[in-house]
Amino acid sequence: MTTATTKRRRLVNLRNFPTFTATSWAVLIFLYLPLVYVIGYSFNSGRMVMIWEGFSLHWYTVAIQDINIQRALTNSLKIAVVATTLSTVLAVLASLGLVRMARNGKRIAWALIGIPLIIPEIVLAIGTLAFFMAVKIPLGIFGLILAHTAFCIPFALLPIRARLSQLDAAPFEAAYDLGANDREILRRITLPLLSPAIVSGALLAFAISIDDFITSFFIAGPGATTLPVYIFGMIRSNVTPEVNAISTLLLLFSGIVLISSYVLNRVRR
Amino acid sequence: MTAINVATESPALQNEQMRPGQTSPRLALPTVLFLVATIAVPIAITFVYSFLSTADIGTGVKWDFTLSAYRHLFVQDKLDGTTAFDTRYVKVIWNSFVYSAITTVVTLILSLPIAMWIATRAESARNFLVAAVTLPFWISILIRTYGLRQLIDDNGPVGGVFHRLGLDYHIIYTPTATVIGLIYVFLPFMILPIYASAERFDFSLAEAGYDLGAKRMTVFRKIVLPSIRPGIISGIALVFIPALGSFLQSDMLGGGKANMIANVIANQFGQSRNWPFGCALSVLLIGLTVLFVQIIRGISARSGDQVNLV
Amino acid sequence: MTSSYLAISNIKKSFNTPEGGTVHALDDVTLDIQSGEFFVMLGPSGCGKTTLLRSIAGLEYPDSGVITLDGQRIDDIPAYNRPVNTVFQSYALFPHMTVAQNIAFGLEMEKLDKAEITSRVGLALEQVKLAGYEKRKSSQLSGGQAQRVALARALAKKPKVLLLDEPLSALDLKLRRGMQIELKRLQQETGITFVFVTHDQEEAMSMGDRIAVFNSGKVVQLDTPREIYRRPVNSFVADFIGETNLLDGVAGTDGITLPGGGMLLRSQVAEDCAIPDSGAITVAIRPEDFEITDTHGAITGTVRDSIFTGDTVRIHVTVTPEVEVAVSLPSYGARIPDRGEKVSLSPSGNSARTVAS
């Protein structure tokens, strides 16, 4: 019975193209294998990141108790929280204002907002370094907050802009018709309708800020080392599974932030 | 092209302006001013500094106008006072080009199948797979590159497989490792725009192709590929342009041999302490970026495809 | 006639098209709407009726003209201060609010106190028979329920005029019939002036106290449903309202010669229609106004098909190769001619009309 069915020519799925499935799986594995490796070796009990000796949470205790990591994490969180707040506020203001801005003004504003997405980060980083030195802004947390806010704005703006373009004019007209003026419409209709996108954008900005390396590397200065900058230093000097442990914690954290953003973006449907 | 844009944009703009509850454009002013200060001014300073001289002591610049930073790209002043043509930086620029080009081609070859494959899955699987491809996009490049370094290290698992097969294996701290790193980091940038095009592709067109007697590869080449061209163009731009200015991959995987533009720039602000030269390289990188953005714009305008760069 | 309540005078509004042309959405429209009236604006899509409604609401600004309500000029008042409210075609419920919050919104804008708002929300929900739905999210409502909430939301404001922009077009036929009756009842109970926009002539006929028929930015005819049906001013109205056979005839001293050579006598044409002694003229005869006559009628032809629709039978009669007329006969009583049979038709009484083309 089985031979009969196998002998029959299999009907191929015409939506599949040969080797596409295999390539896709290979690509997915390629994308995640390095992350799996980092996470896996964070549980290594030995000192080496290449030789597996046994399962242990030892390096997590080391990482959590590492005073330098604690300092770097505190810096990262301070910068990320303030930069996220500032960039979200500025993104909301920009999204509301740009709708009615004249065409040329709009074009210039969008170009300005889009620059961090196109120009290599190192260019902006050294430009910002030179700028801070020229106007005597000390390297440190304050400068980092300014720089992070700048490149977080486009990310905070992405979901807000998408949401704004999907909004139907009818509820706004209805509110107007029911006696709400522009200010009341903003408070009662526009902002509540945008709120999932605003939160989603804030989470993206947060993820970008907390993960940033290049800008922070150039303008952190000695006192304001962020977690990625500290991890970079650890990788350069002595690699132990502690790097993997703290990286895993950072991955976990970004993962939670990103998944929340993703879920929020989908809930609105 | 501009004239066409104006004509097609105006009715939408009219409608936008009619919607009640809209706020004054002045609201955007703080953001615009902030971005002028934190983005436009630093770029302007980079430009100005590239025409200045290095400071006599320490870091920074001296306000002496000179073209020596740009001259430094091609000419070396020897200690004995003679000058010679210097190929080091030309090579670096060329390397950055070649690495980015290889990265673009390889990511394109890998992304076409996976983008099409995801687009043909059932909806729930599709959402999951898109999320799976998008996630690395947002995860720390540093950690991803570190993981890759462990993976392809001589003593890592890939090396282990080669050793067991009795083959020589040494990739880490070579240009090959840099390129693998670039491919790894920029893959999602190619997959996502192509997927976005592929998802909109109407498969009944492919079915019509089969119905009319075309074989599968013909259908792919003649029907599918032209339909997803806007995504491919976007993907090429989104991979090639940032790859050109990438820093971490050649630093961590290429052995810090400063073989891409960004690494040389970083050096000028670190050990080499030649800010004007670093700024000149930055200006060059901005110029190349703008040039490629314009090329992509030109291609998309000529083919009439809607290509999104941001 | 009572004096006008909502007076629309010489309203003009034009739009630029993407191709660079200009469309006159409203071309010098003047209308008087009376207090407590159920007023219907009817016309095909793009005729300007919705633009006029939105101009009354304040969502669109006319290029010129004046709108007064109860003696007060309102066209220069912003929409949020006009004592009129709208029921939108897409309902336009606020998706992030509950039913009660939606209805309370307009009352909160008037800064009424909480107790007053609660009681008026409750009353409005009772009026639309949705008591108990306060806590529902607007996304959890069916189309018909969303429609009622939109209605309650506008009525709760106690507007001087309620504007309804094709409010029933998204509902299925059965629900639509029910809502038509309910809207009519609500209008009579509240005594509020309703201005109702629709493209459905049956809906307009069954609901309106008066109907303004729009075409190409102009009011073509303004009258009661009965008058518009019985006395259409031109072939557009005759054709748009109900169904009609438009026949190209030639006027003579005896009457009008119709296609196929038959003669329509002057006595068969309504008295208010003037017939010149010569020249081309358009004759309108409704399908139900035809009778089958034994002797030579105004029209003779061959029955092409007959369709049984329940209470009537519709037959199509081929008069000449180019001209066909539709006839509606009661399905009981008179004999229904068979397919292929030669028939002779005449308008009953003086039911034929001449219309301007």
mmCIF file of all heavy atoms in Angstrom, chain C residues 196-223:
data_model
loop_
_atom_site.group_PDB
_atom_site.id
_atom_site.type_symbol
_atom_site.label_atom_id
_atom_site.label_comp_id
_atom_site.label_asym_id
_atom_site.label_seq_id
_atom_site.Cartn_x
_atom_site.Cartn_y
_atom_site.Cartn_z
ATOM 1 N N PHE C 196 -31.170 64.396 5.886
ATOM 2 C CA PHE C 196 -30.752 63.025 5.638
ATOM 3 C C PHE C 196 -30.230 62.914 4.215
ATOM 4 O O PHE C 196 -30.947 63.241 3.268
ATOM 5 C CB PHE C 196 -31.983 62.137 5.840
ATOM 6 C CG PHE C 196 -31.736 60.657 5.793
ATOM 7 C CD1 PHE C 196 -31.631 59.919 6.970
ATOM 8 C CD2 PHE C 196 -31.643 59.989 4.580
ATOM 9 C CE1 PHE C 196 -31.428 58.550 6.928
ATOM 10 C CE2 PHE C 196 -31.441 58.617 4.539
ATOM 11 C CZ PHE C 196 -31.333 57.900 5.719
ATOM 12 N N VAL C 197 -28.984 62.473 4.075
ATOM 13 C CA VAL C 197 -28.397 62.324 2.738
ATOM 14 C C VAL C 197 -28.443 60.861 2.322
ATOM 15 O O VAL C 197 -28.109 59.985 3.116
ATOM 16 C CB VAL C 197 -26.937 62.825 2.735
ATOM 17 C CG1 VAL C 197 -26.166 62.244 1.570
ATOM 18 C CG2 VAL C 197 -26.898 64.337 2.701
ATOM 19 N N THR C 198 -28.893 60.603 1.122
ATOM 20 C CA THR C 198 -28.897 59.228 0.634
ATOM 21 C C THR C 198 -28.823 59.217 -0.887
ATOM 22 O O THR C 198 -29.113 60.210 -1.542
ATOM 23 C CB THR C 198 -30.156 58.458 1.099
ATOM 24 O OG1 THR C 198 -30.067 57.108 0.650
ATOM 25 C CG2 THR C 198 -31.419 59.081 0.539
ATOM 26 N N HIS C 199 -28.364 58.074 -1.418
ATOM 27 C CA HIS C 199 -28.397 57.920 -2.873
ATOM 28 C C HIS C 199 -29.474 56.911 -3.248
ATOM 29 O O HIS C 199 -29.664 56.580 -4.403
ATOM 30 C CB HIS C 199 -27.038 57.472 -3.409
ATOM 31 C CG HIS C 199 -26.639 56.115 -2.902
ATOM 32 N ND1 HIS C 199 -25.841 55.944 -1.793
ATOM 33 C CD2 HIS C 199 -26.959 54.873 -3.319
ATOM 34 C CE1 HIS C 199 -25.687 54.660 -1.562
ATOM 35 N NE2 HIS C 199 -26.360 53.978 -2.461
ATOM 36 N N ASP C 200 -30.175 56.412 -2.208
ATOM 37 C CA ASP C 200 -31.166 55.356 -2.427
ATOM 38 C C ASP C 200 -32.543 56.013 -2.539
ATOM 39 O O ASP C 200 -33.092 56.511 -1.554
ATOM 40 C CB ASP C 200 -31.083 54.397 -1.227
ATOM 41 C CG ASP C 200 -32.101 53.268 -1.331
ATOM 42 O OD1 ASP C 200 -33.077 53.402 -2.097
ATOM 43 O OD2 ASP C 200 -31.918 52.263 -0.626
ATOM 44 N N GLN C 201 -33.120 55.999 -3.729
ATOM 45 C CA GLN C 201 -34.360 56.742 -3.947
ATOM 46 C C GLN C 201 -35.535 56.136 -3.185
ATOM 47 O O GLN C 201 -36.421 56.854 -2.730
ATOM 48 C CB GLN C 201 -34.651 56.873 -5.441
ATOM 49 C CG GLN C 201 -34.586 55.606 -6.248
ATOM 50 C CD GLN C 201 -35.929 54.939 -6.409
ATOM 51 O OE1 GLN C 201 -36.951 55.541 -6.084
ATOM 52 N NE2 GLN C 201 -35.922 53.713 -6.900
ATOM 53 N N GLU C 202 -35.478 54.819 -2.968
ATOM 54 C CA GLU C 202 -36.561 54.185 -2.226
ATOM 55 C C GLU C 202 -36.559 54.652 -0.782
ATOM 56 O O GLU C 202 -37.599 54.952 -0.188
ATOM 57 C CB GLU C 202 -36.356 52.667 -2.254
ATOM 58 C CG GLU C 202 -37.522 51.927 -2.868
ATOM 59 C CD GLU C 202 -37.287 50.436 -2.793
ATOM 60 O OE1 GLU C 202 -36.625 49.937 -3.714
ATOM 61 O OE2 GLU C 202 -37.728 49.810 -1.813
ATOM 62 N N GLU C 203 -35.311 54.738 -0.217
ATOM 63 C CA GLU C 203 -35.146 55.204 1.148
ATOM 64 C C GLU C 203 -35.635 56.652 1.259
ATOM 65 O O GLU C 203 -36.349 57.018 2.189
ATOM 66 C CB GLU C 203 -33.660 55.119 1.503
ATOM 67 C CG GLU C 203 -33.357 55.324 2.958
ATOM 68 C CD GLU C 203 -31.929 54.893 3.255
ATOM 69 O OE1 GLU C 203 -31.705 53.682 3.433
ATOM 70 O OE2 GLU C 203 -31.033 55.762 3.281
ATOM 71 N N ALA C 204 -35.265 57.451 0.269
ATOM 72 C CA ALA C 204 -35.662 58.861 0.268
ATOM 73 C C ALA C 204 -37.190 58.982 0.230
ATOM 74 O O ALA C 204 -37.785 59.749 0.991
ATOM 75 C CB ALA C 204 -35.042 59.575 -0.923
ATOM 76 N N MET C 205 -37.826 58.191 -0.635
ATOM 77 C CA MET C 205 -39.283 58.253 -0.793
ATOM 78 C C MET C 205 -39.983 57.855 0.500
ATOM 79 O O MET C 205 -40.961 58.470 0.905
ATOM 80 C CB MET C 205 -39.748 57.292 -1.890
ATOM 81 C CG MET C 205 -39.118 57.514 -3.213
ATOM 82 S SD MET C 205 -39.785 58.952 -4.017
ATOM 83 C CE MET C 205 -41.149 58.203 -4.818
ATOM 84 N N SER C 206 -39.461 56.795 1.156
ATOM 85 C CA SER C 206 -40.184 56.273 2.301
ATOM 86 C C SER C 206 -39.973 57.124 3.543
ATOM 87 O O SER C 206 -40.771 57.063 4.469
ATOM 88 C CB SER C 206 -39.783 54.822 2.568
ATOM 89 O OG SER C 206 -38.417 54.765 2.859
ATOM 90 N N MET C 207 -38.908 57.922 3.590
ATOM 91 C CA MET C 207 -38.625 58.650 4.819
ATOM 92 C C MET C 207 -38.874 60.144 4.756
ATOM 93 O O MET C 207 -39.245 60.756 5.746
ATOM 94 C CB MET C 207 -37.174 58.399 5.242
ATOM 95 C CG MET C 207 -36.907 56.939 5.507
ATOM 96 S SD MET C 207 -35.218 56.662 5.983
ATOM 97 C CE MET C 207 -35.301 57.182 7.662
ATOM 98 N N GLY C 208 -38.621 60.751 3.618
ATOM 99 C CA GLY C 208 -38.597 62.202 3.568
ATOM 100 C C GLY C 208 -39.967 62.856 3.600
ATOM 101 O O GLY C 208 -40.914 62.376 2.980
ATOM 102 N N ASP C 209 -40.059 63.973 4.374
ATOM 103 C CA ASP C 209 -41.219 64.840 4.220
ATOM 104 C C ASP C 209 -41.079 65.583 2.895
ATOM 105 O O ASP C 209 -42.045 65.749 2.158
ATOM 106 C CB ASP C 209 -41.290 65.860 5.360
ATOM 107 C CG ASP C 209 -41.554 65.201 6.703
ATOM 108 O OD1 ASP C 209 -42.218 64.132 6.704
ATOM 109 O OD2 ASP C 209 -41.085 65.707 7.737
ATOM 110 N N ARG C 210 -39.863 66.050 2.656
ATOM 111 C CA ARG C 210 -39.563 66.642 1.359
ATOM 112 C C ARG C 210 -38.216 66.116 0.886
ATOM 113 O O ARG C 210 -37.357 65.758 1.699
ATOM 114 C CB ARG C 210 -39.510 68.173 1.468
ATOM 115 C CG ARG C 210 -40.883 68.800 1.551
ATOM 116 C CD ARG C 210 -40.804 70.295 1.322
ATOM 117 N NE ARG C 210 -39.854 70.926 2.233
ATOM 118 C CZ ARG C 210 -39.258 72.100 1.982
ATOM 119 N NH1 ARG C 210 -39.506 72.741 0.846
ATOM 120 N NH2 ARG C 210 -38.433 72.628 2.860
ATOM 121 N N ILE C 211 -38.050 66.097 -0.423
ATOM 122 C CA ILE C 211 -36.809 65.590 -0.996
ATOM 123 C C ILE C 211 -36.230 66.658 -1.913
ATOM 124 O O ILE C 211 -36.959 67.266 -2.705
ATOM 125 C CB ILE C 211 -37.058 64.313 -1.838
ATOM 126 C CG1 ILE C 211 -37.623 63.193 -0.953
ATOM 127 C CG2 ILE C 211 -35.781 63.845 -2.524
ATOM 128 C CD1 ILE C 211 -38.044 61.961 -1.724
ATOM 129 N N ALA C 212 -34.897 66.891 -1.770
ATOM 130 C CA ALA C 212 -34.206 67.712 -2.755
ATOM 131 C C ALA C 212 -33.376 66.771 -3.609
ATOM 132 O O ALA C 212 -32.541 66.043 -3.085
ATOM 133 C CB ALA C 212 -33.306 68.730 -2.066
ATOM 134 N N VAL C 213 -33.667 66.756 -4.924
ATOM 135 C CA VAL C 213 -32.909 65.883 -5.812
ATOM 136 C C VAL C 213 -31.730 66.674 -6.367
ATOM 137 O O VAL C 213 -31.908 67.754 -6.927
ATOM 138 C CB VAL C 213 -33.782 65.351 -6.965
ATOM 139 C CG1 VAL C 213 -32.974 64.370 -7.816
ATOM 140 C CG2 VAL C 213 -35.019 64.679 -6.418
ATOM 141 N N PHE C 214 -30.514 66.142 -6.159
ATOM 142 C CA PHE C 214 -29.290 66.813 -6.594
ATOM 143 C C PHE C 214 -28.758 66.152 -7.849
ATOM 144 O O PHE C 214 -28.847 64.942 -8.020
ATOM 145 C CB PHE C 214 -28.195 66.703 -5.519
ATOM 146 C CG PHE C 214 -28.340 67.677 -4.391
ATOM 147 C CD1 PHE C 214 -29.364 67.536 -3.475
ATOM 148 C CD2 PHE C 214 -27.447 68.725 -4.241
ATOM 149 C CE1 PHE C 214 -29.499 68.427 -2.420
ATOM 150 C CE2 PHE C 214 -27.567 69.617 -3.186
ATOM 151 C CZ PHE C 214 -28.588 69.472 -2.275
ATOM 152 N N ASN C 215 -28.198 66.963 -8.724
ATOM 153 C CA ASN C 215 -27.412 66.424 -9.830
ATOM 154 C C ASN C 215 -26.361 67.452 -10.213
ATOM 155 O O ASN C 215 -26.673 68.640 -10.347
ATOM 156 C CB ASN C 215 -28.310 66.108 -11.035
ATOM 157 C CG ASN C 215 -27.568 65.294 -12.078
ATOM 158 O OD1 ASN C 215 -26.627 64.570 -11.750
ATOM 159 N ND2 ASN C 215 -27.989 65.416 -13.320
ATOM 160 N N SER C 216 -25.119 67.006 -10.322
ATOM 161 C CA SER C 216 -23.989 67.857 -10.726
ATOM 162 C C SER C 216 -23.947 69.169 -9.943
ATOM 163 O O SER C 216 -23.807 70.239 -10.537
ATOM 164 C CB SER C 216 -24.046 68.169 -12.218
ATOM 165 O OG SER C 216 -24.250 67.000 -12.939
ATOM 166 N N GLY C 217 -24.064 69.082 -8.642
ATOM 167 C CA GLY C 217 -23.889 70.268 -7.815
ATOM 168 C C GLY C 217 -25.075 71.203 -7.786
ATOM 169 O O GLY C 217 -24.974 72.315 -7.272
ATOM 170 N N LYS C 218 -26.200 70.789 -8.356
ATOM 171 C CA LYS C 218 -27.386 71.663 -8.363
ATOM 172 C C LYS C 218 -28.588 70.915 -7.798
ATOM 173 O O LYS C 218 -28.672 69.693 -7.920
ATOM 174 C CB LYS C 218 -27.731 72.075 -9.797
ATOM 175 C CG LYS C 218 -26.762 73.062 -10.377
ATOM 176 C CD LYS C 218 -27.279 73.548 -11.712
ATOM 177 C CE LYS C 218 -26.600 74.802 -12.046
ATOM 178 N NZ LYS C 218 -25.957 75.153 -13.129
ATOM 179 N N VAL C 219 -29.527 71.676 -7.225
ATOM 180 C CA VAL C 219 -30.792 71.081 -6.822
ATOM 181 C C VAL C 219 -31.697 71.081 -8.057
ATOM 182 O O VAL C 219 -32.016 72.135 -8.598
ATOM 183 C CB VAL C 219 -31.453 71.872 -5.685
ATOM 184 C CG1 VAL C 219 -32.807 71.264 -5.336
ATOM 185 C CG2 VAL C 219 -30.554 71.900 -4.473
ATOM 186 N N VAL C 220 -32.066 69.883 -8.507
ATOM 187 C CA VAL C 220 -32.858 69.791 -9.736
ATOM 188 C C VAL C 220 -34.346 69.932 -9.421
ATOM 189 O O VAL C 220 -35.095 70.566 -10.156
ATOM 190 C CB VAL C 220 -32.612 68.441 -10.441
ATOM 191 C CG1 VAL C 220 -33.120 68.489 -11.867
ATOM 192 C CG2 VAL C 220 -31.154 68.082 -10.404
ATOM 193 N N GLN C 221 -34.744 69.324 -8.320
ATOM 194 C CA GLN C 221 -36.152 69.398 -7.949
ATOM 195 C C GLN C 221 -36.284 69.305 -6.444
ATOM 196 O O GLN C 221 -35.559 68.547 -5.785
ATOM 197 C CB GLN C 221 -36.947 68.262 -8.613
ATOM 198 C CG GLN C 221 -38.454 68.425 -8.434
ATOM 199 C CD GLN C 221 -39.257 67.476 -9.325
ATOM 200 O OE1 GLN C 221 -38.685 66.607 -9.969
ATOM 201 N NE2 GLN C 221 -40.562 67.644 -9.357
ATOM 202 N N LEU C 222 -37.190 70.093 -5.892
ATOM 203 C CA LEU C 222 -37.413 70.070 -4.449
ATOM 204 C C LEU C 222 -38.909 69.973 -4.222
ATOM 205 O O LEU C 222 -39.665 70.886 -4.580
ATOM 206 C CB LEU C 222 -36.860 71.365 -3.809
ATOM 207 C CG LEU C 222 -37.241 71.636 -2.359
ATOM 208 C CD1 LEU C 222 -36.804 70.512 -1.454
ATOM 209 C CD2 LEU C 222 -36.636 72.944 -1.899
ATOM 210 N N ASP C 223 -39.368 68.848 -3.650
ATOM 211 C CA ASP C 223 -40.802 68.678 -3.460
ATOM 212 C C ASP C 223 -41.067 67.490 -2.548
ATOM 213 O O ASP C 223 -40.125 66.840 -2.076
ATOM 214 C CB ASP C 223 -41.488 68.476 -4.820
ATOM 215 C CG ASP C 223 -42.799 69.278 -4.881
ATOM 216 O OD1 ASP C 223 -43.494 69.328 -3.849
ATOM 217 O OD2 ASP C 223 -43.079 69.845 -5.942
#
